Amino acid sequence: MVVASDSLLAQSEALIRLVGELDGLRGSVVAAGTRVTMPRLRALDAPLSAVAAENDITTAIAVLTRAQFEAWVMATGLRLALERYGRNEDFTAAMAQQLSARMGHGLGFLAPLIAITALPSLGAVAGGTVVAGLVTGYGPDLGLRGLGAWIRENNEVLTNPTTVALVRAAVSSSDDFLGGLLRLPAELVAMLGDEGLGLTGLSTAAAVVTLVGRRGGLLRETPVTATLTGTAATVAPSSLADRVARIPRPGQGSQGEQIRIEKYSQPGEVDRFEVYLAGTVDFGITAGTQPFDMTSNLSGIAGLPAGSADAVRQAMADAGITQHSPIVFTGYSQGGMVASLLAASEQYNVQGLVTVGAPAGQVDVPASVPILTIRHTDDLVPALGGYDINPHALVVEREAFGGTDIPPGFALPAHQIDQYDLSAALIDEATSSALRDSLSALNSFGTTAAVGVSASYVAKRTG
């Protein structure tokens, strides 16, 4: 479901309510007509005013009946149009997934030939780069920084729904590319992959990349710690915008906290918890002291133990969360992926999961966990999680810069959390029943608590 269709859903629901109201009015008019008609049956000399009133009532009943029918037709038409749009969208996505899988397998199969053909050109480029570096005294780091600066100033290509869709298709077919590279039959790869038994997928390709990187000294996981930095009194969030605003922003925190846990207590009831998780802080491929890094990103997508997830588990245990504690997770970017992994582990009593711009589409979360997924159609990061595999998730999409200028200075401006702050505020104004029900359940999670305490944690790698 997308925010763009929320108004149509709301109109359909309003028309259905109107049908009921018109039916009630029609019943009242019919009852009034009975009271007017009965005296006429008993007295043939009834006044002309009664005859006129009876005619007016008959006309009113006809008008109300017609209005009721037309409202029902419009409501049904809107609902059928939205359902057909959804089915067409699902069909298109399925076809795109099938096509990208076949193309991925073909590219993997031809990759060695392509590499051999391109090797002379690549050698010439590499040689020229080395010579230029020797002459100018500049190393490859400068070139990478220059590339990053160019992307930030020319970010309209990456901030485009078409690019995002292509990247999602490419990422989802990464296991097919690997199968082609290994010369496995396309039918076997398809049967084992997302389109078949689901035994392989994006996690398979991510695991291969991670393990290869570790052999080269990169992407290596290390021990982590989660340290409490402070507590404060709090109350439960009353809106989605309030909830998203509580996601930690390490660059703005005094000690770079990435984890926030709120506990709501009520006498005679078990404590309830909200867990808020930040996004990626360190984008390097060599693990340093920051566990919310690319190493954890790839480990999480690969289904391997991730440092950021381990740190969150430690913080949750320190906050008093047990397997029986009711929990709602809210995470942005990598934090949304970590939240999804913890919900999928079935080790906790998860009552709700909110992901914001997260690459978590391939994390298989139990159907018993309500999921609200918020993402921008021009944000590349959620696409890195591949196609969604959780049919019960309520997905709300918005194009962050549709019809507006894309601001320079950011490689992925649609992924900035302030854009998701705006989207959360817009979702709070939604009127369709699906969104209202989801938001109502989230907003009521901790509102009855007598005492609320917020605890912040900073996670670090120690290895």
Side-chain angles (χ1 to χ4, degrees):
M1 178 179 298
V2 296
V3 172
S5 67
D6 175 72
S7 59
L8 295 180
L9 286 169
Q11 289 175 21
S12 176
E13 292 165 358
L15 286 169
I16 291 296
R17 290 194 297 271
L18 178 61
V19 169
E21 292 170 0
L22 289 172
D23 188 61
L25 288 173
R26 182 175 174 278
S28 299
V29 173
V30 169
T34 302
R35 290 193 293 272
V36 170
T37 304
M38 289 303 294
R40 287 195 62 215
L41 294 176
R42 292 192 297 269
L44 296 178
D45 58 345
L48 292 177
S49 59
V51 176
E54 182 180 356
N55 292 334
D56 290 341
I57 289 171
T58 301
T59 301
I61 292 173
V63 170
L64 287 171
T65 301
R66 181 177 180 83
Q68 183 181 6
F69 175 75
E70 290 180 350
W72 178 84
V73 169
M74 286 189 290
T76 302
L78 278 175
R79 179 67 64 176
L80 289 175
L82 287 169
E83 290 177 355
R84 179 170 295 180
Y85 172 81
R87 287 195 299 269
N88 289 342
E89 191 175 51
D90 291 341
F91 176 78
T92 302
M95 290 300 97
Q97 186 173 2
Q98 294 279 354
L99 179 61
S100 62
R102 291 290 178 167
M103 291 180 64
H105 183 273
L107 286 173
F109 194 88
L110 296 174
L113 177 60
I114 295 172
I116 292 172
T117 304
L119 192 58
S121 299
L122 292 175
V125 172
T129 303
V130 171
V131 171
L134 292 173
V135 172
T136 61
Y138 294 132
D141 286 346
L142 180 62
L144 291 175
R145 290 197 296 272
L147 177 61
W150 185 89
I151 290 175
R152 287 192 293 273
E153 294 302 319
N154 300 271
N155 54 18
E156 62 275 2
V157 176
L158 297 182
T159 309
N160 185 299
T162 301
T163 304
V164 170
L166 290 173
V167 169
R168 178 173 283 113
V171 167
S172 297
S173 62
S174 56
D175 60 321
D176 301 281
F177 177 88
L178 184 60
L181 192 63
L182 295 175
R183 296 295 193 271
L184 298 176
E187 292 74 15
L188 175 62
V189 175
M191 182 182 70
L192 296 176
D194 302 327
E195 304 82 18
L197 299 175
L199 300 178
T200 62
L202 173 59
S203 60
T204 306
V208 170
V209 172
T210 301
L211 295 176
V212 170
R214 289 178 183 178
R215 289 182 65 87
L218 307 174
L219 303 173
R220 288 184 175 175
E221 286 291 354
T222 65
V224 296
T225 61
T227 304
L228 177 67
T229 61
T231 60
T234 189
V235 295
S238 58
S239 67
L240 184 63
D242 187 7
R243 179 179 300 280
V244 173
R246 299 187 188 205
I247 296 174
R249 324 238 165 151
Q252 303 172 12
S254 59
Q255 299 185 53
E257 294 90 347
Q258 315 97 324
I259 305 166
R260 173 173 177 164
I261 299 177
E262 295 183 357
K263 179 172 72 173
Y264 312 127
S265 302
Q266 179 72 16
E269 297 182 6
V270 65
D271 290 338
R272 307 170 76 82
F273 295 86
E274 296 256 13
V275 179
Y276 301 91
L277 304 176
T280 303
V281 181
D282 181 359
F283 292 88
I285 58 175
T286 301
T289 60
Q290 175 59 253
F292 280 71
D293 59 1
M294 291 304 295
T295 297
S296 289
N297 267 328
L298 277 170
S299 295
I301 292 175
L304 300 172
S308 54
D310 290 343
V312 174
R313 286 191 181 91
Q314 290 184 33
M316 291 170 63
D318 183 78
I321 296 177
T322 69
Q323 61 178 345
H324 304 295
S325 304
I327 309 170
V328 169
F329 285 106
T330 301
Y332 161 69
S333 193
Q334 181 179 162
M337 180 186 68
V338 171
S340 298
L341 291 170
L342 294 174
S345 71
E346 301 188 74
Q347 297 175 353
Y348 301 101
N349 179 18
V350 183
Q351 301 295 302
L353 169 64
V354 181
T355 66
V356 181
Q362 293 281 303
V363 181
D364 189 8
V365 179
S368 59
V369 177
I371 307 174
L372 176 60
T373 298
I374 306 166
R375 65 189 181 209
H376 296 149
T377 58
D378 47 355
D379 180 4
L380 205 62
V381 173
L384 298 177
Y387 290 109
D388 297 313
I389 62 170
N390 296 298
H392 66 288
L394 178 59
V395 181
V396 185
E397 293 182 335
R398 163 181 170 260
E399 186 177 352
F401 297 106
T404 62
D405 293 334
I406 299 173
F410 299 98
L412 300 173
H415 188 61
Q416 298 301 304
I417 195 167
D418 59 344
Q419 291 297 323
Y420 281 105
D421 287 331
L422 176 58
S423 293
L426 292 173
I427 294 171
D428 279 326
E429 299 300 320
T431 54
S432 64
S433 59
L435 276 173
R436 296 316 315 166
D437 291 345
S438 176
L439 295 178
S440 176
L442 289 169
N443 295 339
S444 63
F445 179 73
T447 53
T448 61
V451 178
V453 178
S454 173
S456 296
Y457 292 84
V458 60
K460 291 185 177 180
R461 292 189 182 276
T462 60

